[in-house]
Amino acid sequence: MVTGDAAYIKKINRSFLISKIIEHGLVSRAELSKITGLNKATISVQVADLLNEELIVETQQEHNNLGRRPIMLSLNRKAGFALGIDLDYKQITFTLSDLLGFPLSSETISLNTSDYENVLELLVENIQSFQEKCSNSQYGIVGIVIGIHGIVTEDEIIHFVPQHNWHNKNLKLDIKAKTGIAPHIKNNANLCAFAEQVYNHHESENLLCVSLYSGIGLGIMINGELYEGYHGYAGEMGHMIIVPNGKPCNCGNKGCWEQYASESIFFKQLSEKQNKTDITYLDIQNWINDPDAIISQEMNDYIEYLSIGLNNIINLYNPETIVLNSELLKMHPESINEIKARLTSSVSHFEELLVSEFGKEACVMGACSLAIKNFLEIPELKLNIEEEDIPKIAVDVPTWR
């Protein structure tokens, strides 16, 4: 039983109402009362407050029946903006969304340095530019979330980024000192999982998202919440050993999963076998379409090792939904069927296995939606946008370590 003083109960009711207004898009006061079970007096007080704060707006719905047209409520999507940032190895992507998670602009800048101070300067410069652009709105930028391709602690300190060789960097504090906004710092795989749940799989409370680019990261949603582990290190499944005494890994072990099933390793091995140093995704697509004997064997091996790791994860978590974030798998039309054919264990159970529609955009979309959820202080967030509205981020060739 939830107990608390009047202010606490009011806050709970407020967050519940906002969630339902977002979920239903347009909804009347009477409908809100039915949906939430709250009485009309409570609805009226809460709605009045939200209207005064300009978080919601009223519109009169057209109808052909006699009587007064119903007044509908919806979220004021332009009251503020969320900024999602994907801090990758060779590029930084900035995506600005409205309060319904609709992306308004997306910019990608090349990153030719791993020097922390230089990267910090680039981040601050671009964040300040977005702050200025959004200054005329009621709330401006309501939140910033940055996705890190590395290990982030529970208190949002960057513990280790292999590609940049960063250790124990307090990016959150450094950005706040220069912009006045303290961004949330999250692991990119966690943001990918959050995006899948918020935008595409509303009813899936137990969801795993496996990102397969420069390494392998696992985003975990359990009972509708991100699971980050005791210190925030959960999901580093790329360092699960699948080949005893196998290929050496930067983590210090041998035979780690990402040494066999990450796209960066795929590119490295294919480059050696094709004797070509500048292989692109377009090259691979052309070889898949031909087909090419070398690419066929490499894809077969890649899917074999990928399936071994997935089998372990499925047995560990028993997920409802598994989303694979991979450009390679999107190019290979039979990839999901081939993976499923290898998941033959009678104890491996899951409901759905699919390739992400977001691809490289998943991190920034998850970052924007998490910023919105934090700002509105709501228990759950369900957003809907069309695939063609998702900003397309240029996909660089993964860099192997």
Side-chain angles (χ1 to χ4, degrees), residues 20 129 252:
K20 292 306 176 183
S129 176

Coordinates of all heavy atoms in Angstrom, one line a residue, residues 20 129 252:
K20 N -0.6 9.2 -19.0 CA -1.8 8.8 -19.8 C -2.1 9.8 -20.9 O -2.6 9.4 -21.9 CB -3.0 8.7 -18.8 CG -2.8 7.5 -17.8 CD -2.5 6.2 -18.6 CE -2.3 5.0 -17.7 NZ -2.0 3.8 -18.4
S129 N 25.3 25.8 -28.3 CA 24.6 26.2 -29.5 C 23.2 25.7 -29.4 O 22.3 26.5 -29.8 CB 25.3 25.6 -30.7 OG 24.6 25.8 -31.9
G252 N 41.8 -8.3 -21.0 CA 42.8 -9.1 -20.3 C 42.5 -10.6 -20.4 O 43.3 -11.4 -20.1

